[in-house]
Amino acid sequence: MPDGPDSARRTLRLRVAVRRFAPIFESDISEAWIVLSEGIAARDECIRLVEILGNAENSVSIDDVEQLQTHLGEVLDVLDEDPVGDVYYPYTAAMLLELYCRSATGDLPEGAPVPIEEWVARFARHVDWQLEKSGISSPGPTFFERQEEALAALEVSMSDSRDAAWLAAVDKSSQLGEQYLFHLTRAVRAAG
């Protein structure tokens, strides 16, 4: 993994992302996802590693990040095509975490054809769309897209794991993860 402030910021961004996307990946929101992924040992390892990375008090090594990246790749290999239906949400949460790992290890170039921020925005827009489609009450028509934009603005100012921007980003990401899971669970159940 490359050293320096950019590398440290990418690792911090991964740790912030874990707070909002791991709960979706680990959830029971999709019975089909559980059936597909439950027999994969790598899924249990992912859950163990995201607990380490998601705890702001833990120090994180490059080995932790590389292991998570490898295990997420194994879990993602369960499907050989883009998922549809409710499998989309935990699968895409895992894919986003894997992209953040690749960024932190330097395996994802800064000038990637589709930057992480665009993948996250697509996910947020899809969640907003699903909420509207399900007909259940939601915080607003572009709520998750706007929340992701606000979180991205916080991430830009993070410098280390003890500064105010890091703590604010961790807090906001945790809250956003809870909101994603709450609203997606309602939307998926309403659609099913």
Side-chain angles (χ1 to χ4, degrees):
M1 173 166 92
D3 291 329
D6 286 340
S7 175
R9 185 178 357 266
R10 288 192 302 268
T11 301
L12 292 176
R13 289 183 67 209
L14 164 63
R15 296 183 74 185
V16 169
V18 162
R19 299 297 284 256
R20 69 188 181 283
F21 297 121
I24 301 165
F25 165 71
E26 297 172 1
S27 76
D28 63 355
I29 194 171
S30 168
E31 288 183 35
W33 175 252
I34 292 170
V35 169
L36 287 169
S37 66
E38 74 182 343
I40 303 170
R43 184 177 192 276
D44 294 335
E45 272 303 295
C46 289
I47 291 169
R48 183 186 71 77
L49 289 163
V50 296
E51 285 183 24
I52 292 168
L53 285 143
N55 185 332
E57 299 301 315
N58 289 341
S59 60
V60 174
S61 72
I62 185 57
D63 289 338
D64 296 329
V65 176
E66 288 173 342
Q67 285 180 40
L68 180 58
Q69 179 180 334
T70 298
H71 293 305
L72 284 166
E74 292 171 19
V75 171
L76 291 169
D77 285 345
V78 74
L79 291 175
D80 57 359
E81 57 190 46
D82 289 339
V84 295
D86 57 15
V87 173
Y88 172 84
Y89 300 105
Y91 179 91
T92 304
M95 182 203 68
L96 291 170
L97 289 172
E98 197 261 350
L99 286 172
Y100 276 102
C101 286
R102 290 180 56 207
S103 174
T105 61
D107 291 342
L108 184 68
E110 288 294 324
V114 180
I116 293 174
E117 297 79 11
E118 177 56 29
W119 286 110
V120 170
R122 289 176 186 180
F123 180 78
R125 286 191 298 268
H126 195 282
V127 172
D128 287 330
W129 169 82
Q130 181 65 51
L131 293 176
E132 184 178 333
K133 179 183 168 210
S134 72
I136 63 169
S137 62
S138 68
T142 60
F143 176 77
F144 286 101
E145 184 177 15
R146 288 181 287 123
Q147 294 302 307
E148 288 292 353
E149 289 169 356
L151 187 53
L154 269 176
E155 288 178 348
V156 168
S157 58
M158 292 186 311
S159 60
D160 67 37
S161 62
R162 301 291 173 243
D163 70 8
W166 153 257
L167 296 173
V170 166
D171 185 51
K172 183 165 187 60
S173 189
S174 294
Q175 291 173 15
L176 190 53
E178 290 172 10
Q179 290 173 323
Y180 270 130
L181 192 54
F182 174 76
H183 291 290
L184 277 172
T185 300
R186 290 175 56 224
V188 166
R189 295 211 169 108

